[in-house]
Amino acid sequence: PARIVEKYYLLHQRDVRVERHLDEITDFILKYRDDNLECLLLIGNMFKKRNSIDIAIDVYLKCIAICQNKSLFTELSQICLDISRCYLQLNNPEKAVDYSSISIKLFEKYNTDLDKTIFLHKAYSIRCEAHLLQNNLELALKDINLAIDFYRDNRSIALRESIVCLLKDLE
């Protein structure tokens, strides 16, 4: 099913009705293949790419149920991170913080053998941005420092410098 959905999307991605059709396909898959996580993740990512963030979140939440039923905690941490990104796009920093925190906890608990660098960098960066939207500069600084501890990039360093400047201006 995932290949069929991907092919459909690639052929019709400019079509206005693709969103409605993907939604119908999602319902159909859930009805007959409700355990097909790969397909639902693909659909969630497609909705996110089309900026249909609310629908993407709904699909990701369905994925969470599958992961919990099958004890797929590696996938669950990534899905929570994707949901966190979506909430950040919707300017809902509270839920972005919640889901990024969940993704960090799950990743650290169940993915001990995997390289933590990129995942935790992304998770802490997203949580930092959410804290900035909430005007929690101290928490944002803490998270960006954690992100930089895992991976140093120019964007994170610039963000850290901006936060430090904002904190100095408040003093």
Side-chain angles (χ1 to χ4, degrees):
R3 288 192 181 116
I4 294 169
V5 170
E6 185 175 31
K7 187 74 169 178
Y8 174 84
Y9 179 74
L10 292 174
L11 289 173
H12 302 285
Q13 63 184 334
R14 291 196 173 99
D15 188 356
V16 176
R17 296 171 298 179
V18 73
E19 186 173 305
R20 182 175 54 95
H21 292 153
L22 282 174
D23 203 24
E24 290 172 2
I25 291 170
T26 303
D27 290 340
F28 188 80
I29 290 168
L30 285 172
K31 184 175 181 180
Y32 295 103
R33 295 287 305 271
D34 64 345
D35 63 339
N36 196 326
L37 182 63
E38 177 187 356
C39 191
L40 290 176
L41 284 173
L42 178 65
I43 292 170
N45 293 338
M46 289 175 183
F47 280 123
K48 187 170 65 171
K49 185 177 179 181
R50 294 181 61 80
N51 287 322
S52 300
I53 305 301
D54 290 323
I55 299 171
I57 290 171
D58 289 342
V59 173
Y60 289 141
L61 291 173
K62 292 171 185 170
C63 292
I64 285 177
I66 294 171
C67 288
Q68 289 171 334
N69 289 338
K70 293 185 171 195
S71 299
L72 301 172
F73 298 112
T74 301
E75 292 84 352
L76 188 57
S77 59
Q78 181 61 51
I79 294 165
C80 288
L81 186 62
D82 289 335
I83 293 172
S84 179
R85 276 193 194 114
C86 289
Y87 279 122
L88 192 61
Q89 282 184 265
L90 292 174
N91 287 322
N92 188 334
E94 294 83 17
K95 288 199 177 194
V97 166
D98 291 344
Y99 277 97
S100 58
S101 297
I102 292 167
S103 72
I104 292 166
K105 287 177 188 172
L106 287 169
F107 191 86
E108 289 179 337
K109 183 174 182 179
Y110 294 105
N111 300 305
T112 56
D113 297 338
L114 298 177
D115 181 14
K116 297 178 179 188
T117 305
I118 299 300
F119 183 89
L120 291 176
H121 172 78
K122 289 178 185 177
Y124 283 118
S125 296
I126 290 169
R127 198 166 73 177
C128 168
E129 291 180 43
H131 283 310
L132 282 174
L133 287 175
Q134 293 175 314
N135 207 21
N136 292 331
L137 297 177
E138 291 84 12
L139 292 174
L141 181 60
K142 180 182 173 185
D143 279 340
I144 200 63
N145 283 335
L146 288 167
I148 290 171
D149 285 346
F150 285 103
Y151 180 74
R152 294 182 70 86
D153 65 334
N154 292 335
R155 183 181 179 280
S156 298
I157 293 168
L159 183 57
R160 184 189 181 286
E161 290 172 4
S162 298
I163 295 168
V164 169
C165 287
L166 287 170
L167 283 168
K168 284 181 183 178
D169 289 344
L170 291 175
E171 292 176 355

